[in-house]
Amino acid sequence: MAFKAGKLTYRLQFSVRTAPVDDGYGNVVSGEWTPQFDARCHIMFLKGSESVLASRLEARSPVIIGLRNSANARRVTHEWRATDLNTGIVYEIKEQPRPSDDRSHFEMLAMSGVAA
């Protein structure tokens, strides 16, 4: 599904976690989230199915994020996250981004309200 410019109403910051580090006591600690780029995006909130309703009861919200095809967008993987710069809501990306039918955008399943 292609998104017109008027639908790209959300400003998201895409981040990737740095490599895990040793804390000096033999434990491995997760790296910090490092911002990579900001982009205008479309967010489509999923609704209707039983699994979506169950997620919402657990304060999680599944969405489809639409992002214009670019060099930065092609770097995004399921290990990244996106943060809404207006509200601070964090979306964990749950799948590899897929190109839209006309290849002008990427679409990816993401979920807010999950543990980072």
Side-chain angles (χ1 to χ4, degrees), residues 32-48:
E32 298 294 319
W33 287 102
T34 306
Q36 299 296 305
F37 66 94
D38 299 353
R40 304 293 292 177
C41 299
H42 174 74
I43 296 179
M44 181 175 61
F45 294 88
L46 300 179
K47 53 187 174 188

mmCIF file of all heavy atoms in Angstrom, residues 32-48:
data_model
loop_
_atom_site.group_PDB
_atom_site.id
_atom_site.type_symbol
_atom_site.label_atom_id
_atom_site.label_comp_id
_atom_site.label_asym_id
_atom_site.label_seq_id
_atom_site.Cartn_x
_atom_site.Cartn_y
_atom_site.Cartn_z
ATOM 1 N N GLU A 32 23.187 0.186 24.777
ATOM 2 C CA GLU A 32 22.233 1.299 24.762
ATOM 3 C C GLU A 32 21.602 1.424 23.376
ATOM 4 O O GLU A 32 22.166 0.997 22.380
ATOM 5 C CB GLU A 32 22.954 2.604 25.107
ATOM 6 C CG GLU A 32 23.560 2.615 26.489
ATOM 7 C CD GLU A 32 22.513 2.559 27.579
ATOM 8 O OE1 GLU A 32 21.478 3.225 27.447
ATOM 9 O OE2 GLU A 32 22.730 1.826 28.561
ATOM 10 N N TRP A 33 20.418 2.048 23.327
ATOM 11 C CA TRP A 33 19.763 2.330 22.050
ATOM 12 C C TRP A 33 20.406 3.575 21.452
ATOM 13 O O TRP A 33 20.479 4.619 22.097
ATOM 14 C CB TRP A 33 18.267 2.553 22.252
ATOM 15 C CG TRP A 33 17.540 1.283 22.547
ATOM 16 C CD1 TRP A 33 17.114 0.857 23.766
ATOM 17 C CD2 TRP A 33 17.160 0.272 21.618
ATOM 18 N NE1 TRP A 33 16.490 -0.363 23.646
ATOM 19 C CE2 TRP A 33 16.499 -0.750 22.331
ATOM 20 C CE3 TRP A 33 17.304 0.122 20.243
ATOM 21 C CZ2 TRP A 33 15.987 -1.889 21.738
ATOM 22 C CZ3 TRP A 33 16.797 -1.016 19.648
ATOM 23 C CH2 TRP A 33 16.152 -2.009 20.387
ATOM 24 N N THR A 34 20.869 3.459 20.227
ATOM 25 C CA THR A 34 21.531 4.561 19.542
ATOM 26 C C THR A 34 20.678 5.027 18.374
ATOM 27 O O THR A 34 20.398 4.247 17.463
ATOM 28 C CB THR A 34 22.908 4.107 19.015
ATOM 29 O OG1 THR A 34 23.658 3.563 20.096
ATOM 30 C CG2 THR A 34 23.659 5.254 18.379
ATOM 31 N N PRO A 35 20.242 6.302 18.381
ATOM 32 C CA PRO A 35 19.433 6.813 17.263
ATOM 33 C C PRO A 35 20.218 6.757 15.949
ATOM 34 O O PRO A 35 21.402 7.070 15.910
ATOM 35 C CB PRO A 35 19.136 8.261 17.660
ATOM 36 C CG PRO A 35 19.363 8.325 19.127
ATOM 37 C CD PRO A 35 20.424 7.301 19.429
ATOM 38 N N GLN A 36 19.525 6.350 14.881
ATOM 39 C CA GLN A 36 20.146 6.257 13.573
ATOM 40 C C GLN A 36 19.626 7.322 12.612
ATOM 41 O O GLN A 36 20.396 7.912 11.884
ATOM 42 C CB GLN A 36 19.895 4.870 12.973
ATOM 43 C CG GLN A 36 20.482 3.743 13.801
ATOM 44 C CD GLN A 36 21.991 3.811 13.879
ATOM 45 O OE1 GLN A 36 22.662 3.844 12.859
ATOM 46 N NE2 GLN A 36 22.530 3.832 15.083
ATOM 47 N N PHE A 37 18.298 7.537 12.607
ATOM 48 C CA PHE A 37 17.723 8.556 11.735
ATOM 49 C C PHE A 37 16.284 8.838 12.154
ATOM 50 O O PHE A 37 15.674 8.051 12.864
ATOM 51 C CB PHE A 37 17.782 8.137 10.253
ATOM 52 C CG PHE A 37 16.922 6.951 9.898
ATOM 53 C CD1 PHE A 37 15.633 7.136 9.401
ATOM 54 C CD2 PHE A 37 17.393 5.650 10.040
ATOM 55 C CE1 PHE A 37 14.844 6.048 9.069
ATOM 56 C CE2 PHE A 37 16.617 4.569 9.706
ATOM 57 C CZ PHE A 37 15.333 4.766 9.225
ATOM 58 N N ASP A 38 15.767 9.987 11.725
ATOM 59 C CA ASP A 38 14.366 10.370 11.923
ATOM 60 C C ASP A 38 13.673 10.336 10.565
ATOM 61 O O ASP A 38 14.299 10.608 9.544
ATOM 62 C CB ASP A 38 14.238 11.796 12.468
ATOM 63 C CG ASP A 38 14.899 11.976 13.828
ATOM 64 O OD1 ASP A 38 15.342 10.975 14.425
ATOM 65 O OD2 ASP A 38 14.980 13.118 14.293
ATOM 66 N N ALA A 39 12.377 10.023 10.580
ATOM 67 C CA ALA A 39 11.636 9.988 9.321
ATOM 68 C C ALA A 39 10.156 10.249 9.573
ATOM 69 O O ALA A 39 9.638 9.953 10.645
ATOM 70 C CB ALA A 39 11.811 8.632 8.641
ATOM 71 N N ARG A 40 9.494 10.795 8.554
ATOM 72 C CA ARG A 40 8.041 10.934 8.574
ATOM 73 C C ARG A 40 7.450 9.585 8.194
ATOM 74 O O ARG A 40 7.901 8.951 7.246
ATOM 75 C CB ARG A 40 7.580 12.005 7.591
ATOM 76 C CG ARG A 40 8.190 13.381 7.791
ATOM 77 C CD ARG A 40 7.787 14.052 9.044
ATOM 78 N NE ARG A 40 6.384 14.415 9.043
ATOM 79 C CZ ARG A 40 5.779 14.981 10.071
ATOM 80 N NH1 ARG A 40 6.432 15.246 11.165
ATOM 81 N NH2 ARG A 40 4.518 15.286 10.014
ATOM 82 N N CYS A 41 6.447 9.141 8.953
ATOM 83 C CA CYS A 41 5.885 7.804 8.748
ATOM 84 C C CYS A 41 4.370 7.837 8.841
ATOM 85 O O CYS A 41 3.778 8.793 9.341
ATOM 86 C CB CYS A 41 6.413 6.835 9.804
ATOM 87 S SG CYS A 41 8.187 6.628 9.766
ATOM 88 N N HIS A 42 3.776 6.760 8.385
ATOM 89 C CA HIS A 42 2.346 6.515 8.560
ATOM 90 C C HIS A 42 2.208 5.373 9.553
ATOM 91 O O HIS A 42 2.953 4.387 9.474
ATOM 92 C CB HIS A 42 1.696 6.132 7.227
ATOM 93 C CG HIS A 42 0.266 5.730 7.356
ATOM 94 N ND1 HIS A 42 -0.734 6.639 7.583
ATOM 95 C CD2 HIS A 42 -0.322 4.518 7.331
ATOM 96 C CE1 HIS A 42 -1.892 5.995 7.667
ATOM 97 N NE2 HIS A 42 -1.665 4.701 7.517
ATOM 98 N N ILE A 43 1.296 5.497 10.501
ATOM 99 C CA ILE A 43 1.033 4.415 11.441
ATOM 100 C C ILE A 43 -0.422 4.003 11.294
ATOM 101 O O ILE A 43 -1.321 4.830 11.419
ATOM 102 C CB ILE A 43 1.327 4.835 12.895
ATOM 103 C CG1 ILE A 43 2.818 5.142 13.053
ATOM 104 C CG2 ILE A 43 0.908 3.735 13.864
ATOM 105 C CD1 ILE A 43 3.218 5.583 14.436
ATOM 106 N N MET A 44 -0.636 2.716 11.017
ATOM 107 C CA MET A 44 -1.981 2.165 10.919
ATOM 108 C C MET A 44 -2.184 1.243 12.124
ATOM 109 O O MET A 44 -1.474 0.245 12.286
ATOM 110 C CB MET A 44 -2.158 1.372 9.624
ATOM 111 C CG MET A 44 -3.557 0.803 9.469
ATOM 112 S SD MET A 44 -3.838 -0.011 7.879
ATOM 113 C CE MET A 44 -2.626 -1.308 7.910
ATOM 114 N N PHE A 45 -3.111 1.618 12.996
ATOM 115 C CA PHE A 45 -3.395 0.838 14.194
ATOM 116 C C PHE A 45 -4.272 -0.348 13.817
ATOM 117 O O PHE A 45 -5.320 -0.183 13.195
ATOM 118 C CB PHE A 45 -4.072 1.716 15.247
ATOM 119 C CG PHE A 45 -3.163 2.791 15.755
ATOM 120 C CD1 PHE A 45 -3.091 4.021 15.124
ATOM 121 C CD2 PHE A 45 -2.349 2.561 16.849
ATOM 122 C CE1 PHE A 45 -2.242 5.020 15.578
ATOM 123 C CE2 PHE A 45 -1.489 3.543 17.313
ATOM 124 C CZ PHE A 45 -1.430 4.778 16.675
ATOM 125 N N LEU A 46 -3.825 -1.545 14.174
ATOM 126 C CA LEU A 46 -4.582 -2.749 13.849
ATOM 127 C C LEU A 46 -5.735 -2.919 14.819
ATOM 128 O O LEU A 46 -5.616 -2.575 15.997
ATOM 129 C CB LEU A 46 -3.664 -3.973 13.896
ATOM 130 C CG LEU A 46 -2.486 -3.929 12.927
ATOM 131 C CD1 LEU A 46 -1.646 -5.186 13.076
ATOM 132 C CD2 LEU A 46 -2.962 -3.778 11.500
ATOM 133 N N LYS A 47 -6.830 -3.451 14.326
ATOM 134 C CA LYS A 47 -7.996 -3.679 15.172
ATOM 135 C C LYS A 47 -8.837 -4.789 14.570
ATOM 136 O O LYS A 47 -8.691 -5.121 13.406
ATOM 137 C CB LYS A 47 -8.820 -2.409 15.310
ATOM 138 C CG LYS A 47 -9.215 -1.780 13.991
ATOM 139 C CD LYS A 47 -9.876 -0.450 14.187
ATOM 140 C CE LYS A 47 -10.098 0.189 12.822
ATOM 141 N NZ LYS A 47 -10.547 1.537 12.918
ATOM 142 N N GLY A 48 -9.670 -5.381 15.410
ATOM 143 C CA GLY A 48 -10.647 -6.310 14.873
ATOM 144 C C GLY A 48 -10.441 -7.771 15.171
ATOM 145 O O GLY A 48 -11.397 -8.462 15.469
#
